[in-house]
Amino acid sequence: MNDAQYSNDTTVLRGALVGCGFFAANQMRAWQDLPGAEIVALCDRDAGRLSAFGDTFGIEHRFDDIETLLTQMAVDFVDIAAPTPAHEMLVTAAARYGADVICQKPFAGSLETARRLIETCRERGVSLTVHENFRWQHAVRRVAELIAQGRIGRPFFGRISYRSGFDVFANQPYLADLPRFIIQDLGIHTLDMARALFGDVERLSCETGRVNLKIRGEDTATMMLRHECGCVSVVDCSYATTLANDPFPQSLIEVDGDRGSLRLSANFRLTIHAPDGGATIEDVTPHWPSWSEAPWRVIQQSVLALQEDWIDRCRSGGEAPTCGRDNFNTLALVDAAYRSADEEAVVVPARWQ
Ligand SMILES: NC(=O)c1ccc[n+]([C@@H]2O[C@H](COP(=O)([O-])OP(=O)(O)OC[C@H]3O[C@@H](n4cnc5c(N)ncnc54)[C@H](O)[C@@H]3O)[C@@H](O)[C@H]2O)c1
């Protein structure tokens, strides 16, 4: 859709949700909370999931294939919550029918495919937004805001840490079979937060490990990033960490600047350390969506925030912060991290030109 078709328009945007699995329920609940958009059709290849999801959320129009959906229903956008191997076909089909696209992460299985999808959407005049929600967490946005305001001066060090022993395989059993696990599934979010806070990355090194021998891929990753602004950040992830008070699924953040420091600790406690030795503590607990539930609340809040922003930008004609071109550079960090771990080398990530 052209921006002009949305501007100053209060029509409710009609969307199709594709993929009715584990995570799609969060996207569906968020759309149901937002008056500016409505999911009018569902698509899933699995008849049982399609029917259960449709009944739960009261969506009448259900399809087992995207082409049939797009020929029979007029939609403004397609929200893709199917896994990555299906993305190329689904994004291309949506673009061909002139629908704006929102696509789950990782939005492509390779940088070549990512380039192709960005170009396809550009040629068809539709927007491509990656559903990269972690930077939309309320506490992360507050950290970004304080940095942008210069509250701690120039950041020279950052740490984004996500360490947990939560059994993610219970809800997403397919994760245990992925040859590449934690960087591709979770690190992609924490790397994106590092980009959102400190900007693009000049070089990166990464060490990985597999502690849980029942799974195929790596479950720990420690990455060091040199950002263009000169800041160095450490992005560390683990699903093999035993903690009495597991912060799952919170990310903990440290930022040192030349005029102060920030510490985001568990339970949404943000401490701002000033050069005079004083400290201010902010409670950055979000306003939880009514439908949110522990332990997923922090994720569900960020899903709602991303989708709300997406509707606002459709109306104003702006591009989402996690548009395909921006997210290409996050995907490139994932690619660089695996290359660094494999080659035991510092890697210069690809960059969208
Ligand atoms: N942003 C986040 O915080 C977050 C969290 C979890 C998962 N995800 C992402 O969401 C996506 C889905 O993950 P999930 O855990 O919900 O997976 P899932 O396996 O539970 O659900 C995926 C659904 O997509 C359907 N599907 C597959 N191919 C399809 C096709 N061609 N057409 C229609 N339907 C198709 C499957 O039948 C299934 O019902 C993945 O890309 C994953 O990385 C994101």
Side-chain angles (χ1 to χ4, degrees), residues 161-200:
S161 183
Y162 185 107
R163 312 194 73 78
S164 171
F166 187 84
D167 180 12
V168 282
F169 310 106
N171 288 305
Q172 297 167 278
Y174 64 89
L175 294 177
D177 294 325
L178 295 176
R180 291 178 161 189
F181 167 43
I182 201 166
I183 303 174
Q184 185 179 276
D185 186 67
L186 185 271
I188 193 167
H189 293 301
T190 46
L191 288 165
D192 188 70
M193 284 195 277
R195 285 190 57 244
L197 296 179
F198 310 120
D200 272 318

Short mmCIF file of all heavy atoms in Angstrom, two decimals, residues 161-200:
data_model
loop_
_atom_site.label_atom_id
_atom_site.label_comp_id
_atom_site.label_asym_id
_atom_site.label_seq_id
_atom_site.Cartn_x
_atom_site.Cartn_y
_atom_site.Cartn_z
N SER A 161 22.69 -8.57 28.75
CA SER A 161 22.88 -9.91 29.28
C SER A 161 21.53 -10.61 29.42
O SER A 161 20.60 -10.08 30.03
CB SER A 161 23.56 -9.78 30.65
OG SER A 161 23.83 -11.04 31.17
N TYR A 162 21.45 -11.80 28.86
CA TYR A 162 20.22 -12.59 28.94
C TYR A 162 20.64 -14.00 29.35
O TYR A 162 21.17 -14.76 28.54
CB TYR A 162 19.55 -12.59 27.56
CG TYR A 162 18.20 -13.26 27.50
CD1 TYR A 162 17.03 -12.51 27.39
CD2 TYR A 162 18.09 -14.65 27.53
CE1 TYR A 162 15.80 -13.12 27.30
CE2 TYR A 162 16.86 -15.27 27.45
CZ TYR A 162 15.72 -14.51 27.34
OH TYR A 162 14.48 -15.11 27.24
N ARG A 163 20.50 -14.31 30.60
CA ARG A 163 20.97 -15.60 31.11
C ARG A 163 19.83 -16.24 31.89
O ARG A 163 19.26 -15.63 32.80
CB ARG A 163 22.21 -15.42 32.01
CG ARG A 163 23.27 -14.52 31.39
CD ARG A 163 24.60 -14.59 32.10
NE ARG A 163 25.30 -15.83 31.83
CZ ARG A 163 25.97 -16.07 30.68
NH1 ARG A 163 26.04 -15.16 29.74
NH2 ARG A 163 26.57 -17.22 30.50
N SER A 164 19.53 -17.49 31.55
CA SER A 164 18.36 -18.15 32.14
C SER A 164 18.51 -19.66 32.03
O SER A 164 19.27 -20.17 31.20
CB SER A 164 17.12 -17.70 31.36
OG SER A 164 15.99 -18.44 31.75
N GLY A 165 17.74 -20.36 32.85
CA GLY A 165 17.67 -21.81 32.73
C GLY A 165 16.24 -22.24 32.37
O GLY A 165 15.90 -23.42 32.47
N PHE A 166 15.42 -21.27 31.95
CA PHE A 166 14.01 -21.56 31.62
C PHE A 166 13.93 -22.60 30.50
O PHE A 166 14.69 -22.57 29.53
CB PHE A 166 13.33 -20.25 31.18
CG PHE A 166 11.85 -20.39 30.97
CD1 PHE A 166 10.98 -20.29 32.05
CD2 PHE A 166 11.33 -20.64 29.71
CE1 PHE A 166 9.61 -20.42 31.86
CE2 PHE A 166 9.96 -20.76 29.51
CZ PHE A 166 9.10 -20.65 30.60
N ASP A 167 12.98 -23.52 30.62
CA ASP A 167 12.83 -24.60 29.63
C ASP A 167 12.06 -24.09 28.41
O ASP A 167 10.86 -24.28 28.29
CB ASP A 167 12.09 -25.77 30.28
CG ASP A 167 11.90 -26.92 29.30
OD1 ASP A 167 12.52 -26.90 28.22
OD2 ASP A 167 11.11 -27.84 29.62
N VAL A 168 12.79 -23.44 27.50
CA VAL A 168 12.13 -22.89 26.30
C VAL A 168 11.67 -24.00 25.37
O VAL A 168 10.82 -23.78 24.50
CB VAL A 168 13.05 -21.93 25.51
CG1 VAL A 168 13.12 -20.58 26.15
CG2 VAL A 168 14.42 -22.52 25.27
N PHE A 169 12.22 -25.20 25.54
CA PHE A 169 11.90 -26.31 24.62
C PHE A 169 10.51 -26.87 24.88
O PHE A 169 9.94 -27.55 24.03
CB PHE A 169 12.96 -27.41 24.74
CG PHE A 169 14.36 -26.83 24.64
CD1 PHE A 169 15.15 -26.72 25.77
CD2 PHE A 169 14.84 -26.35 23.44
CE1 PHE A 169 16.41 -26.16 25.70
CE2 PHE A 169 16.10 -25.77 23.35
CZ PHE A 169 16.89 -25.68 24.49
N ALA A 170 9.94 -26.57 26.05
CA ALA A 170 8.60 -27.08 26.36
C ALA A 170 7.56 -26.48 25.41
O ALA A 170 6.71 -27.20 24.88
CB ALA A 170 8.25 -26.75 27.81
N ASN A 171 7.63 -25.16 25.17
CA ASN A 171 6.66 -24.51 24.27
C ASN A 171 7.09 -24.52 22.82
O ASN A 171 6.27 -24.43 21.92
CB ASN A 171 6.47 -23.05 24.69
CG ASN A 171 5.69 -22.92 25.97
OD1 ASN A 171 4.58 -23.45 26.09
ND2 ASN A 171 6.27 -22.26 26.95
N GLN A 172 8.40 -24.60 22.60
CA GLN A 172 8.93 -24.55 21.23
C GLN A 172 9.89 -25.73 21.02
O GLN A 172 11.10 -25.55 20.95
CB GLN A 172 9.66 -23.24 20.99
CG GLN A 172 8.74 -22.00 21.11
CD GLN A 172 9.57 -20.73 21.18
OE1 GLN A 172 10.08 -20.35 22.22
NE2 GLN A 172 9.75 -20.10 20.04
N PRO A 173 9.32 -26.96 20.92
CA PRO A 173 10.18 -28.15 20.86
C PRO A 173 11.13 -28.14 19.67
O PRO A 173 12.22 -28.72 19.75
CB PRO A 173 9.18 -29.31 20.75
CG PRO A 173 7.83 -28.71 20.58
CD PRO A 173 7.89 -27.28 20.94
N TYR A 174 10.76 -27.45 18.58
CA TYR A 174 11.61 -27.41 17.38
C TYR A 174 12.97 -26.75 17.66
O TYR A 174 13.94 -26.99 16.95
CB TYR A 174 10.88 -26.69 16.23
CG TYR A 174 10.59 -25.23 16.49
CD1 TYR A 174 11.51 -24.24 16.17
CD2 TYR A 174 9.38 -24.82 17.06
CE1 TYR A 174 11.25 -22.90 16.41
CE2 TYR A 174 9.12 -23.49 17.31
CZ TYR A 174 10.05 -22.54 16.99
OH TYR A 174 9.80 -21.21 17.23
N LEU A 175 13.04 -25.96 18.74
CA LEU A 175 14.30 -25.26 19.05
C LEU A 175 15.43 -26.27 19.37
O LEU A 175 16.60 -26.00 19.11
CB LEU A 175 14.13 -24.30 20.22
CG LEU A 175 13.21 -23.10 19.99
CD1 LEU A 175 13.06 -22.27 21.27
CD2 LEU A 175 13.73 -22.20 18.86
N ALA A 176 15.05 -27.42 19.93
CA ALA A 176 16.06 -28.42 20.32
C ALA A 176 16.75 -29.03 19.11
O ALA A 176 17.86 -29.55 19.23
CB ALA A 176 15.41 -29.51 21.17
N ASP A 177 16.10 -28.96 17.94
CA ASP A 177 16.66 -29.61 16.73
C ASP A 177 17.42 -28.64 15.83
O ASP A 177 17.96 -29.04 14.81
CB ASP A 177 15.52 -30.24 15.91
CG ASP A 177 14.88 -31.38 16.67
OD1 ASP A 177 15.62 -32.08 17.40
OD2 ASP A 177 13.65 -31.54 16.58
N LEU A 178 17.42 -27.36 16.19
CA LEU A 178 18.08 -26.40 15.30
C LEU A 178 19.60 -26.56 15.39
O LEU A 178 20.17 -26.55 16.49
CB LEU A 178 17.73 -24.96 15.69
CG LEU A 178 16.27 -24.53 15.54
CD1 LEU A 178 16.08 -23.11 16.07
CD2 LEU A 178 15.82 -24.62 14.09
N PRO A 179 20.28 -26.67 14.23
CA PRO A 179 21.75 -26.75 14.30
C PRO A 179 22.35 -25.46 14.82
O PRO A 179 23.43 -25.47 15.42
CB PRO A 179 22.16 -27.00 12.84
CG PRO A 179 20.96 -26.74 12.01
CD PRO A 179 19.75 -26.79 12.88
N ARG A 180 21.67 -24.33 14.60
CA ARG A 180 22.05 -23.05 15.18
C ARG A 180 20.91 -22.62 16.09
O ARG A 180 19.79 -22.43 15.61
CB ARG A 180 22.23 -22.01 14.08
CG ARG A 180 23.44 -22.29 13.21
CD ARG A 180 23.56 -21.27 12.12
NE ARG A 180 24.90 -21.25 11.58
CZ ARG A 180 25.35 -20.34 10.72
NH1 ARG A 180 24.54 -19.38 10.31
NH2 ARG A 180 26.59 -20.39 10.29
N PHE A 181 21.20 -22.46 17.38
CA PHE A 181 20.08 -22.18 18.30
C PHE A 181 20.11 -20.78 18.90
O PHE A 181 19.42 -19.87 18.44
CB PHE A 181 20.01 -23.28 19.38
CG PHE A 181 19.13 -22.94 20.53
CD1 PHE A 181 17.88 -22.35 20.33
CD2 PHE A 181 19.53 -23.20 21.85
CE1 PHE A 181 17.05 -22.01 21.40
CE2 PHE A 181 18.70 -22.87 22.92
CZ PHE A 181 17.48 -22.28 22.69
N ILE A 182 20.97 -20.57 19.92
CA ILE A 182 20.68 -19.40 20.77
C ILE A 182 20.96 -18.07 20.07
O ILE A 182 20.23 -17.09 20.29
CB ILE A 182 21.38 -19.49 22.15
CG1 ILE A 182 20.64 -18.56 23.15
CG2 ILE A 182 22.88 -19.15 22.07
CD1 ILE A 182 20.98 -18.77 24.60
N ILE A 183 21.96 -17.99 19.23
CA ILE A 183 22.23 -16.69 18.58
C ILE A 183 21.10 -16.36 17.60
O ILE A 183 20.58 -15.25 17.56
CB ILE A 183 23.59 -16.68 17.84
CG1 ILE A 183 24.72 -17.03 18.80
CG2 ILE A 183 23.84 -15.32 17.20
CD1 ILE A 183 26.08 -17.18 18.13
N GLN A 184 20.72 -17.40 16.84
CA GLN A 184 19.68 -17.19 15.83
C GLN A 184 18.32 -16.92 16.45
O GLN A 184 17.53 -16.12 15.93
CB GLN A 184 19.62 -18.45 14.96
CG GLN A 184 18.68 -18.35 13.80
CD GLN A 184 18.71 -19.63 13.00
OE1 GLN A 184 19.57 -19.82 12.14
NE2 GLN A 184 17.80 -20.53 13.31
N ASP A 185 18.02 -17.56 17.58
CA ASP A 185 16.68 -17.43 18.14
C ASP A 185 16.57 -16.29 19.14
O ASP A 185 15.59 -15.55 19.14
CB ASP A 185 16.28 -18.76 18.82
CG ASP A 185 14.84 -18.70 19.28
OD1 ASP A 185 13.95 -18.64 18.42
OD2 ASP A 185 14.60 -18.65 20.50
N LEU A 186 17.56 -16.17 20.01
CA LEU A 186 17.49 -15.19 21.10
C LEU A 186 18.52 -14.08 20.94
O LEU A 186 18.22 -12.89 21.12
CB LEU A 186 17.68 -15.96 22.42
CG LEU A 186 17.56 -15.26 23.74
CD1 LEU A 186 18.83 -14.66 24.26
CD2 LEU A 186 16.44 -14.22 23.75
N GLY A 187 19.74 -14.48 20.55
CA GLY A 187 20.81 -13.49 20.37
C GLY A 187 20.42 -12.44 19.33
O GLY A 187 20.82 -11.28 19.42
N ILE A 188 19.62 -12.83 18.36
CA ILE A 188 19.17 -11.88 17.33
C ILE A 188 18.47 -10.68 18.00
O ILE A 188 18.62 -9.53 17.57
CB ILE A 188 18.25 -12.60 16.31
CG1 ILE A 188 18.04 -11.74 15.07
CG2 ILE A 188 16.94 -13.03 16.92
CD1 ILE A 188 17.40 -12.52 13.90
N HIS A 189 17.72 -10.95 19.08
CA HIS A 189 17.04 -9.87 19.81
C HIS A 189 18.05 -9.02 20.59
O HIS A 189 17.95 -7.80 20.63
CB HIS A 189 16.05 -10.45 20.83
CG HIS A 189 14.88 -11.16 20.25
ND1 HIS A 189 13.98 -10.57 19.40
CD2 HIS A 189 14.42 -12.43 20.42
CE1 HIS A 189 13.02 -11.44 19.09
NE2 HIS A 189 13.28 -12.57 19.69
N THR A 190 18.98 -9.70 21.29
CA THR A 190 19.90 -8.94 22.14
C THR A 190 20.88 -8.15 21.28
O THR A 190 21.27 -7.03 21.63
CB THR A 190 20.61 -9.87 23.15
OG1 THR A 190 21.08 -11.03 22.47
CG2 THR A 190 19.66 -10.31 24.25
N LEU A 191 21.26 -8.71 20.13
CA LEU A 191 22.11 -7.96 19.20
C LEU A 191 21.35 -6.74 18.66
O LEU A 191 21.92 -5.67 18.47
CB LEU A 191 22.57 -8.86 18.05
CG LEU A 191 23.62 -9.93 18.43
CD1 LEU A 191 23.74 -11.00 17.34
CD2 LEU A 191 24.98 -9.28 18.70
N ASP A 192 20.06 -6.93 18.40
CA ASP A 192 19.27 -5.79 17.91
C ASP A 192 19.16 -4.70 18.99
O ASP A 192 19.20 -3.51 18.66
CB ASP A 192 17.87 -6.26 17.48
CG ASP A 192 17.12 -5.13 16.80
OD1 ASP A 192 17.50 -4.76 15.67
OD2 ASP A 192 16.18 -4.57 17.41
N MET A 193 19.06 -5.12 20.25
CA MET A 193 19.02 -4.11 21.33
C MET A 193 20.34 -3.35 21.37
O MET A 193 20.36 -2.15 21.59
CB MET A 193 18.75 -4.78 22.67
CG MET A 193 17.31 -5.18 22.84
SD MET A 193 16.91 -5.56 24.56
CE MET A 193 17.45 -7.23 24.64
N ALA A 194 21.46 -4.07 21.17
CA ALA A 194 22.77 -3.40 21.17
C ALA A 194 22.82 -2.36 20.05
O ALA A 194 23.32 -1.24 20.25
CB ALA A 194 23.89 -4.43 21.01
N ARG A 195 22.27 -2.71 18.87
CA ARG A 195 22.23 -1.74 17.77
C ARG A 195 21.32 -0.57 18.10
O ARG A 195 21.62 0.59 17.78
CB ARG A 195 21.74 -2.41 16.48
CG ARG A 195 22.77 -3.31 15.81
CD ARG A 195 22.29 -3.74 14.42
NE ARG A 195 22.02 -2.60 13.59
CZ ARG A 195 20.82 -2.30 13.10
NH1 ARG A 195 19.77 -3.06 13.33
NH2 ARG A 195 20.65 -1.22 12.38
N ALA A 196 20.18 -0.87 18.74
CA ALA A 196 19.24 0.21 19.07
C ALA A 196 19.86 1.19 20.07
O ALA A 196 19.61 2.39 20.02
CB ALA A 196 17.94 -0.38 19.64
N LEU A 197 20.70 0.68 20.97
CA LEU A 197 21.28 1.55 22.01
C LEU A 197 22.56 2.23 21.55
O LEU A 197 22.80 3.39 21.89
CB LEU A 197 21.57 0.74 23.28
CG LEU A 197 20.36 0.15 24.00
CD1 LEU A 197 20.82 -0.65 25.22
CD2 LEU A 197 19.38 1.24 24.42
N PHE A 198 23.41 1.50 20.79
CA PHE A 198 24.75 2.02 20.51
C PHE A 198 25.06 2.18 19.01
O PHE A 198 26.16 2.59 18.66
CB PHE A 198 25.82 1.09 21.14
CG PHE A 198 25.55 0.78 22.58
CD1 PHE A 198 25.36 -0.53 23.00
CD2 PHE A 198 25.47 1.79 23.53
CE1 PHE A 198 25.10 -0.83 24.33
CE2 PHE A 198 25.20 1.50 24.86
CZ PHE A 198 25.01 0.19 25.27
N GLY A 199 24.12 1.78 18.15
CA GLY A 199 24.32 1.98 16.72
C GLY A 199 25.00 0.80 16.04
O GLY A 199 25.22 -0.26 16.64
N ASP A 200 25.35 1.02 14.78
CA ASP A 200 25.87 -0.09 13.96
C ASP A 200 27.27 -0.50 14.39
O ASP A 200 27.95 0.21 15.13
CB ASP A 200 25.78 0.27 12.47
CG ASP A 200 24.43 -0.14 11.91
OD1 ASP A 200 23.97 -1.24 12.27
OD2 ASP A 200 23.82 0.65 11.17
#
